Amino acid sequence: MADPDESDSTSSFQGEAHTVVQAGAVHGDVHLHHRHKWPTPRQLPAPPGGFVNREAHISALGLALRTDRTEAGAVSVITGPPGVGKTALALRWAHSVRDRFPDGDLYVDMHGYGPASPLEPEQVLDGFLRAFGVEPSLIPITLDERAALYRSMLGGKRMLIVIDNSMSARQIRHLLPGSDGCLTLVTSRSSMPSLVAREGAVRMPLDVLSAEDALELLAEVMGDGRAETDLDGAARVVEHCGRLPLALRVVAERAAARPHLTMSDLAAELAAEQQRLDALSSEEDELVDVRAVFSWSYRSLDARQRQVFRFLGLHRGAEMSTAPIAALTRIPVAELRRHLADLCDAHLVQQIATDRFRLHDLLRATPSNAAAARRPNAPAPTPSAG
């Protein structure tokens, strides 16, 4: 016959299986904690308004969704000069495909170029792991351990990771997933050659808009019909802005606040090259100040690279070859080619042919200290616009 006390004790356990705790002898206090289900990470910022065209680039990004690439953990890198619309393209496309990634999306601005200090991969991994619900006390201390746990959390998931405004491959290499089904989208002013070589990333260069698309963007951001009623003046504004999306947005927003200003009047304001960057400046937000955007890239250069960049800015023509630059800077040609390659990698200079280079129109408008630039050993002055 069963012990009645034992029978009563056994029958006292009731409830669903996941709420039942069975134990033998218990000494001390028992604390039960209910673990809340962590929400699926959905970190993408809102997509920008006033987006035009880029259809070819959107189609190219779509190729990354092919099964054979996502199974390998695809990485796409959007590269281009400051203000060309890399982030706008990345976010617009990411929002259009986020339903293909049921396990969520992660986003981080690496602050590679900007007023804030660049993020270290340890900082980013800390945030990503918290987004997965990892308790802060359980997040490893070392970079390699954090990266290993991050890759484990991504195992078997289909997730979209957007790494914006990255400065170098070193900054983001530990943030790349190691699992099938995840896709990583990176934006950078650098062409990321080592990421392409080692991780098999697909590079997508982004250039300025066509004249037609630039005019459409100007009209869309202004939104009051002035650009459509004065196409000639609007076309001149577009060219003064170098068809750069950031510059076009800044000018359009400035014009929208001055409803009595015609497109021809605005074009006249922009016509004087030495006044151009003043007309494009914004005192309210450094992130939309064209001069500040280009100066961030400039500050990332070393002294020799700054010197070469200033000499290019002094040249009045649209293009310049290596030999005259070497003569002006007194830098040996072999060394000069390395500096020019670095400037091209930072998208401050474009190589248009063998040993021929040019600056973007807005960068050519940069007022610089010509006297200092002509002295090869002079300290690099900080330009007002890059």
Side-chain angles (χ1 to χ4, degrees):
M1 180 175 178
D3 188 328
D5 290 338
E6 180 180 347
S7 174
D8 292 343
S9 174
T10 304
S11 63
S12 66
F13 289 101
Q14 297 179 358
E16 298 178 6
H18 67 269
T19 64
V20 174
V21 176
Q22 183 172 352
V26 177
H27 303 280
D29 298 331
V30 176
H31 301 275
L32 300 179
H33 299 276
H34 178 65
R35 184 178 179 87
H36 295 283
K37 179 176 175 58
W38 205 259
T40 298
R42 291 294 181 189
Q43 298 186 344
L44 290 180
F51 187 86
V52 300
N53 202 323
R54 302 298 195 189
E55 293 177 1
H57 296 88
I58 289 175
S59 297
L61 285 170
L63 295 177
L65 293 176
R66 293 184 314 184
T67 303
D68 60 337
R69 288 201 58 212
T70 52
E71 284 184 352
V75 180
S76 295
V77 184
I78 302 174
T79 70
V84 80
K86 300 181 294 296
T87 299
L89 173 62
L91 290 179
R92 177 62 64 124
W93 181 80
H95 274 276
S96 72
V97 300
R98 71 188 312 188
D99 61 337
R100 303 282 295 274
F101 299 93
D103 297 308
D105 45 74
L106 300 171
Y107 172 86
V108 63
D109 181 348
M110 300 299 295
H111 300 299
Y113 302 89
S117 299
L119 292 184
E120 293 296 329
E122 294 92 335
Q123 297 172 271
V124 181
L125 287 170
D126 181 87
F128 282 175
L129 290 172
R130 289 170 187 258
F132 284 124
V134 179
E135 294 292 335
S137 61
L138 299 179
I139 295 177
I141 296 176
T142 69
L143 173 59
D144 287 341
E145 288 177 326
R146 288 186 180 186
L149 179 57
Y150 166 69
R151 291 192 296 269
S152 297
M153 299 297 294
L154 288 174
K157 290 182 169 64
R158 286 190 59 83
M159 294 196 70
L160 175 63
I161 299 100
V162 178
I163 305 174
D164 196 14
N165 197 16
S166 175
M167 183 171 58
S168 66
R170 184 206 67 80
Q171 192 187 26
I172 66 171
R173 184 162 276 124
H174 285 86
L175 309 181
L176 301 179
S179 60
D180 298 343
C182 292
L183 188 149
T184 307
L185 184 57
V186 179
T187 73
S188 178
R189 298 182 191 180
S190 167
S191 57
M192 295 282 185
S194 66
L195 203 66
V196 173
R198 288 182 53 181
E199 278 72 30
V202 176
R203 185 191 296 122
M204 181 180 301
L206 201 61
D207 205 348
V208 297
L209 296 170
S210 67
E212 294 78 11
D213 290 338
L215 187 59
E216 181 182 345
L217 178 60
L218 180 69
E220 185 172 336
V221 177
M222 289 184 64
D224 57 11
R226 274 183 288 171
E228 293 89 337
T229 57
D230 185 2
L231 290 176
D232 181 65
R236 282 183 282 135
V237 169
V238 162
E239 292 308 313
H240 285 313
C241 291
R243 292 182 277 124
L244 190 73
L246 175 60
L248 288 164
R249 289 178 181 276
V250 173
V251 167
E253 288 162 6
R254 178 182 176 127
R258 304 162 68 188
H260 302 295
L261 188 71
T262 68
M263 287 291 96
S264 294
D265 291 337
L266 183 58
E269 286 190 8
L270 294 170
E273 187 151 305
Q274 292 304 316
Q275 297 175 358
R276 184 182 307 173
L277 292 173
D278 286 334
L280 295 177
S281 68
S282 167
E283 295 181 358
E284 296 181 358
D285 186 355
E286 188 182 17
L287 292 177
V288 296
D289 185 333
V290 174
R291 293 183 296 182
V293 170
F294 283 123
S295 72
W296 296 332
S297 284
Y298 180 88
R299 287 197 296 268
S300 72
L301 305 177
D302 63 30
R304 281 292 222 191
Q305 293 164 352
R306 292 185 183 190
Q307 182 187 1
V308 173
F309 178 78
R310 293 197 310 275
F311 274 111
L312 289 170
L314 291 173
H315 184 60
R316 290 297 179 186
E319 304 171 6
M320 198 170 188
S321 60
T322 305
I325 303 172
L328 285 170
T329 59
R330 303 177 191 173
I331 297 175
V333 171
E335 179 186 347
L336 176 64
R337 287 195 175 109
R338 292 197 299 272
H339 295 317
L340 288 169
D342 290 334
L343 291 173
C344 289
D345 188 53
H347 295 287
L348 289 170
V349 172
Q350 290 179 299
Q351 183 169 7
I352 57 175
T354 303
D355 282 341
R356 291 197 66 80
F357 302 87
R358 71 180 179 195
L359 300 179
H360 190 281
D361 288 345
L362 287 173
L363 291 175
R364 286 214 314 275
T366 299
S368 58
N369 188 330
R374 289 192 178 92
R375 297 195 300 273
N377 296 322
T382 300
S384 61

